[in-house]
Amino acid sequence: MCGIALIVSGIRIDTSWLPFDSTSSTRKTEKLLFSLDDLKAALRRRGPDSVCAKKLLLQSEENLISSFTDDGVSSSERDNADGIHTAKLHFFGATLQLRGINPLVQPLVDASGNFLVYNGEIFGGFDLESNCNDTEFLMRTLGECCSCGSCSAGHCVECGKSSVVGVLCTIKGPWAIIYWQDSSRTLWFGRDGFGRRSLLVHWPTEDDSTFLLSSVSPVSPVQLATEDETLNRIGCFGYWEELPCGIYSLHVDVSKSSGYLVAQVKMHEYANSMLTELIKWDRISVEPSSEDLKTCSHKLSKGQLSMHLASSESVPNETGSVQSSIPGPAHILLDALKESVLRRTSLYTVYQAVTSGIRQEEFVPVAILFSGGLDSMILAALLDKCLDPNYEIDLLNVSFDGHLAPDRQSAKAGLSELRRVAPSRKWRLVEIDADLSDLVFETSHVVSLINPANTYMDLNIGMALWLASGGNGWVSDANISDNDHARIKYKSNAKILLVGSGADEQCAGYGRHRTSYRRGSWLGLHEEMRLDMQRIWRRNLGRDDRCIADNGKEARFPFLDEDVIRLLLNMPLWEVANLDQPIGVGDKKILREVAKLLGLYEAAVLPKRAIQFGSRIARESNRKNFGSNRAANQASAGSVRINNRKSSFC
């Protein structure tokens, strides 16, 4: 994982070709108020192993463009020469290295003058050796691409080489990328089709021609604001936008009329038809017939009996799941989820420096953001089947109300159930206790991380994720006693965190899904679920990635694996959920069946509870910022923007 950024100056950029509102160049924004050191510091929290910056200079003279790395001559000195115009591309990379056998420092620059900063993981699409570093692999692969600058298909029709678009569309896994292809004078940038890695953009405006890309906003708007701005919360909240998912190019040329360096930003279609289908999220079987519902109900009642019998009589198959004689949708999904967890935890060599200074018996390679709810329990049980049995597994649980928070209670119950289904595994419940009134500086910091998101709901979720992923809490002594008075201080050293994002969106886990079903039946439910999947990059994943990665941890989302998404989308909707059934039964029906196949009968009936409510940060935030829960509810506190009222942490 990496923190990546780019600052481009000296190029007149036209964004009118983009198929969305890119913050019109006539709109005025605040000037850039943070320094390069601020940016490096923010990126370094994401990539603590190394941080580096490199400059590329572009020089135009007589309609020709030359490129060279910075040799100490300032761009202003070059511009003083008649007819010469210079642009600067400043690349930044901060690395948390989790793959490969040799240390790697970004930005990478190859012999052809190509620059790469990459924040992602290649879990499929290409065949990589287990000890291969995927960033190095990607640099070599992109270096072999066609450089005509115009081909958007997977392969160039003229030379037959792969295109940059084709290579990026082949990757299975999360990614955000900034790549300079020197031979075509083209800057490529973008993020994967679901936005699993953050990439923010500042488009050029009338009063600020700088073009910026960054994994994270360097400085909190609260920290930068004047007293008046603090009251009204204006300014830097509007500086950044979430870059919409996609692949973009910026081809640099020389203006024939002025001699200035100019460029147009274009957004490219995905060259992978399967990926395009997943992003469109069209389900073939949406509305069941009465016969479909009758068959589904019969299979459910029959399946419940067989699952309980299987818990004592069946033998796990080679994938570790308990199968009946005829695999049903739940069995197939279970196997796909296990493969997804395996890809994200066990199929490649962990970079050895990750374990330096840590005794082997103390090294925890993977942890889980753990509420004890349905999704995190499934991930924990699957991780047990994928991970070397010698490793312990950390279960990270955050509470703003000690042992009284619902998520703390369900986490302890979940721990007991995991010990029952996997008694040979060493499970460690890490209890992360927080008091919102003591987190003044931390709250301001998280405001910068969630930016451009700016509601109290975003802040509450971001704070809970940031504290949980930090892994700094308490464990029961010898991990045996659950007595709060027998706890010892502990900080998880796991660098990889499994997160259950995407389960609710794909399996109808939210309350709004029931509302949509009541109003619009099956078609209404499908449309609401599709909307959730198509906006998950903007509402959830960018924010969550920034908050988790700030602790030098990498979030991985098994439910958002391309194969898992495809499998769920190919299932009839009534096999995935049936909202005619009660809460805890019909919502996320398919995942509840998966949990039962894993022997997690108690977790299988738990209702959905969002992290801000289960940890009780929402209640504490409401009391702090609105005076009471009742006042907050009247004000619809979750959707209130932080910049619309003065918060008590300022």
Side-chain angles (χ1 to χ4, degrees):
M1 184 195 74
C2 290
I4 63 176
L6 170 70
I7 301 176
V8 178
S9 57
I11 300 176
R12 298 183 175 182
I13 298 175
D14 176 13
T15 62
S16 62
W17 284 43
L18 292 175
F20 53 83
D21 180 11
S22 58
T23 308
S24 170
S25 60
T26 60
R27 188 178 75 83
K28 293 187 177 182
T29 62
E30 293 293 306
K31 289 291 186 180
L32 183 65
L33 297 177
F34 44 82
S35 68
L36 297 184
D37 287 339
D38 292 329
L39 182 58
K40 287 182 181 179
L43 295 175
R44 177 137 213 172
R45 292 180 65 91
R46 297 174 59 92
D49 295 337
S50 66
V51 62
C52 185
K54 293 182 180 178
K55 294 180 186 177
L56 172 70
L57 300 182
L58 302 179
Q59 179 178 292
S60 69
E61 185 176 9
E62 297 180 354
N63 293 326
L64 296 176
I65 300 176
S66 301
S67 63
F68 39 87
T69 56
D70 188 9
D71 58 6
V73 180
S74 69
S75 58
S76 61
E77 289 174 345
R78 297 183 187 278
D79 280 340
N80 285 335
D82 292 338
I84 297 178
H85 301 279
T86 302
K88 180 169 64 176
L89 286 74
H90 204 158
F91 295 82
F92 300 83
T95 305
L96 171 68
Q97 188 164 348
L98 298 173
R99 297 174 74 164
I101 56 177
N102 298 313
L104 188 74
V105 177
Q106 297 197 49
L108 298 185
V109 183
D110 66 14
S112 300
N114 303 315
F115 281 64
L116 173 66
V117 284
Y118 176 70
N119 176 27
E121 299 285 350
I122 298 178
F123 293 133
F126 295 100
D127 292 326
L128 276 67
E129 297 293 331
S130 63
N131 60 358
C132 176
N133 182 281
D134 47 0
T135 304
E136 290 181 313
F137 171 86
L138 188 59
M139 185 62 159
R140 292 193 302 270
T141 305
L142 290 172
E144 297 169 356
C145 286
C146 167
S147 60
C148 72
S150 59
C151 54
S152 294
H155 290 80
C156 179
V157 295
E158 295 183 8
C159 67
K161 292 182 178 180
S162 296
S163 68
V164 172
V165 172
V167 168
L168 295 180
C169 288
T170 303
I171 297 173
K172 287 186 176 181
W175 56 266
I177 191 171
I178 305 170
Y179 176 66
W180 170 257
Q181 188 181 49
D182 195 65
S183 57
S184 66
R185 301 291 187 263
T186 303
L187 179 72
W188 296 89
F189 58 97
R191 58 199 293 212
D192 73 78
F194 300 99
R196 291 164 291 187
R197 289 290 174 262
S198 169
L199 193 59
L200 303 179
V201 61
H202 169 72
W203 302 107
T205 59
E206 185 179 75
D207 60 333
D208 185 358
S209 61
T210 308
F211 171 60
L212 295 98
L213 296 164
S214 179
S215 298
V216 64
S217 173
V219 181
S220 166
V222 175
Q223 294 168 330
L224 290 176
T226 65
E227 183 176 353
D228 289 338
E229 289 172 336
T230 299
L231 291 173
N232 297 302
R233 280 304 197 287
I234 62 174
C236 293
F237 267 117
Y239 192 85
W240 296 102
E241 300 175 31
E242 292 271 5
L243 180 71
C245 298
I247 301 170
Y248 304 78
S249 67
L250 191 157
H251 176 65
V252 181
D253 207 343
V254 181
S255 170
K256 294 180 180 179
S257 59
S258 66
Y260 285 108
L261 290 167
V262 295
Q264 286 183 330
V265 182
K266 295 183 180 180
M267 187 176 185
H268 298 263
E269 295 287 336
Y270 288 107
N272 183 320
S273 59
M274 286 189 180
L275 178 60
T276 302
E277 290 176 7
L278 293 186
I279 294 170
K280 288 181 179 178
W281 219 77
D282 284 326
R283 189 187 300 273
I284 297 175
S285 302
V286 174
E287 297 187 85
S289 65
S290 57
E291 187 63 30
D292 289 327
L293 289 177
K294 191 179 300 182
T295 303
C296 187
S297 177
H298 175 70
K299 285 196 300 184
L300 177 64
S301 58
K302 183 178 179 181
Q304 287 174 336
L305 175 61
S306 64
M307 286 176 193
H308 284 288
L309 293 174
S311 67
S312 59
E313 298 176 4
S314 295
V315 178
N317 69 356
E318 61 182 5
T319 67
S321 62
V322 177
Q323 296 269 16
S324 63
S325 58
I326 302 177
H331 300 90
I332 299 171
L333 178 59
L334 173 56
D335 290 339
L337 282 171
K338 187 190 173 188
E339 285 299 315
S340 175
V341 171
L342 192 63
R343 290 186 194 107
R344 284 156 177 77
T345 57
S346 307
L347 288 186
Y348 56 84
T349 303
V350 176
Y351 180 54
Q352 295 304 304
V354 171
T355 64
S356 64
I358 304 174
R359 290 188 300 174
Q360 182 65 29
E361 63 270 19
E362 296 177 348
F363 176 56
V364 178
V366 187
I368 299 174
L369 293 191
F370 188 74
S371 66
L374 176 64
D375 308 333
S376 61
M377 285 290 287
I378 289 174
L379 293 182
L382 290 175
L383 181 58
D384 170 66
K385 297 180 182 300
C386 296
L387 197 63
D388 186 311
N390 293 317
Y391 290 127
E392 296 188 18
I393 295 176
D394 284 350
L395 308 171
L396 309 181
N397 177 267
V398 64
S399 169
F400 289 80
D401 195 20
H403 67 279
L404 297 177
D407 275 4
R408 178 61 51 79
Q409 295 176 355
S410 61
K412 290 188 174 184
L415 176 62
S416 297
E417 189 164 29
L418 288 172
R419 284 175 174 164
R420 177 179 59 77
V421 299
S424 61
R425 174 71 65 181
K426 293 182 179 178
W427 302 96
R428 182 187 286 119
L429 179 62
V430 185
E431 300 178 2
I432 300 158
D433 296 330
D435 185 338
L436 197 58
S437 62
D438 295 334
L439 300 174
V440 177
F441 171 79
E442 291 83 354
T443 302
S444 179
H445 179 64
V446 173
V447 168
S448 74
L449 295 176
I450 66 171
N451 188 15
N454 63 352
T455 69
Y456 279 98
M457 182 180 69
D458 290 309
L459 179 57
N460 291 338
I461 294 172
M463 177 62 77
L465 290 174
W466 184 75
L467 288 169
S469 59
N472 195 2
W474 300 83
V475 296
S476 296
D477 194 6
N479 208 26
I480 297 175
S481 170
D482 290 325
N483 188 332
D484 286 338
H485 299 291
R487 302 191 304 172
I488 57 175
K489 196 69 176 170
Y490 174 79
K491 182 174 176 63
S492 175
N493 56 43
K495 300 297 183 184
I496 297 170
L497 303 185
L498 297 186
V499 186
S501 301
D504 291 304
E505 287 81 0
Q506 296 182 84
C507 300
Y510 291 121
R512 60 178 175 270
H513 292 143
R514 283 191 175 272
T515 302
S516 297
Y517 180 71
R518 286 197 300 268
R519 293 174 176 172
S521 191
W522 292 96
L523 185 59
L525 171 61
H526 169 67
E527 292 296 338
E528 185 69 25
M529 292 169 69
R530 176 164 59 184
L531 177 62
D532 278 343
M533 283 297 290
Q534 291 181 340
R535 66 186 179 185
I536 193 172
W537 60 272
R538 183 175 63 245
R539 287 169 62 104
N540 303 76
L541 295 179
R543 174 201 65 203
D544 297 353
D545 175 70
R546 292 189 292 275
C547 291
I548 292 171
D550 190 65
N551 287 295
K553 310 292 178 75
E554 179 171 285
R556 298 183 178 175
F557 310 106
F559 290 106
L560 291 173
D561 179 90
E562 287 85 351
D563 291 344
V564 172
I565 295 173
R566 181 178 297 107
L567 178 60
L568 283 168
L569 197 53
N570 286 338
M571 288 182 182
L573 182 53
W574 57 92
E575 295 281 7
V576 176
N578 185 350
L579 301 188
D580 286 326
Q581 297 173 340
I583 294 174
V585 179
D587 50 311
K588 300 202 286 191
K589 177 171 75 77
I590 188 74
L591 291 182
R592 299 183 187 283
E593 294 171 8
V594 167
K596 291 173 183 176
L597 287 173
L598 290 166
L600 304 173
Y601 301 112
E602 294 174 27
V605 297
L606 291 175
K608 161 69 180 176
R609 189 168 51 234
I611 189 172
Q612 65 269 34
F613 303 118
S615 67
R616 287 202 167 152
I617 187 176
R619 186 189 71 177
E620 298 307 305
S621 173
N622 289 343
R623 291 173 176 176
K624 182 177 182 181
N625 293 302
F626 294 86
S628 67
N629 266 321
R630 181 177 181 181
N633 291 333
Q634 291 174 342
S636 299
S639 60
V640 172
R641 295 185 178 183
I642 302 170
N643 56 321
N644 284 345
R645 59 182 286 121
K646 185 175 181 180
S647 173
S648 61
F649 63 72
C650 298

